[in-house]
Amino acid sequence: MIHVLFVCLGNICRSPMAEAVFRHQVEQAGLSRQISVDSCGLGGWHAGEPPHQGTRKILTAKGVSHDTLRARQIVQQDFDQFDYIVCMDEENLAGLKRLAPNAQHISRLMDHAANTGEANVEDPYYTGRFEYVYDLVEAGCQGLLAKICAEHGLSGTAK
Ligand code: 4NP
């Protein structure tokens, strides 16, 4: 099993959106038995809460299920248990590097997206632009899935 963890600051807007979108793509590709998905936040302020209503609303509109998502804070074991740790912005990246200075498996979601012109996924908790963030997240997840498939010799089934 390949374990993928998405990380943002609060785990209520961006990383749960990425978890839901990526899981949806993995299911569509018929790879649920090969790839597992989770998300967490660097902060614990919202632990136990469902995603922000802006995230829930756009996921529902796109037909992506999100009912079981609950926020949690990152723990040190996450760095050992996950094969890909994928964060949203440079602030998250700096926070993760402080927790695990030698980790080689941390990236930003936009590292995997072609042609968005963005290095970071902006925080809709502050900008309110959940639709734009969804588009970035979808593009990043698509690229990430292609990369993981290439690295592990996986080929998804038809959608
Ligand atoms: P997220 O957005 O990192 O995309 O979940 C945030 C949610 C809550 C807070 C910050 C960012 N907060 O400070 O409570």
Side-chain angles (χ1 to χ4, degrees):
M1 194 75 151
I2 299 155
H3 300 278
V4 179
L5 181 67
F6 294 100
V7 182
C8 64
L9 188 56
N11 194 211
I12 56 168
C13 295
R14 295 166 293 175
S15 62
M17 188 188 293
E19 178 185 347
V21 167
F22 192 69
R23 182 176 293 116
H24 185 79
Q25 293 177 355
V26 165
E27 284 169 4
Q28 295 276 300
L31 293 170
S32 298
R33 276 176 292 142
Q34 284 79 26
I35 303 175
S36 80
V37 196
D38 194 5
S39 69
C40 67
L42 282 151
W45 316 285
H46 297 279
E49 294 179 19
H52 188 284
Q53 71 165 10
T55 287
R56 284 187 273 133
K57 188 175 164 200
I58 189 78
L59 289 173
T60 299
K62 301 285 183 177
V64 176
S65 64
H66 53 79
D67 290 346
T68 59
L69 301 175
R70 294 294 179 272
R72 73 168 179 91
Q73 188 170 18
I74 194 163
V75 292
Q76 202 67 40
Q77 300 95 281
D78 287 327
F79 292 99
D80 299 324
Q81 285 174 1
F82 288 89
D83 303 294
Y84 296 86
I85 297 180
V86 185
C87 68
M88 299 297 139
D89 63 27
E90 59 204 358
E91 188 191 325
N92 304 158
L93 190 60
L96 289 168
K97 293 278 187 190
R98 272 194 297 276
L99 291 173
N102 299 318
Q104 298 297 309
H105 56 325
I106 304 172
S107 61
R108 275 185 286 184
L109 186 58
M110 289 300 96
D111 296 341
H112 310 291
N115 306 323
T116 66
E118 302 281 7
N120 299 306
V121 178
E122 67 178 40
D123 195 340
Y125 189 73
Y126 301 110
T127 68
R129 303 202 302 167
F130 285 89
E131 295 206 10
Y132 180 57
V133 165
Y134 183 91
D135 291 343
L136 295 180
V137 164
E138 186 178 45
C141 285
Q142 239 158 36
L144 177 65
L145 184 56
K147 176 193 158 88
I148 290 174
C149 285
E151 288 182 357
H152 296 269
L154 298 174
S155 60
T157 55
K159 305 223 166 188

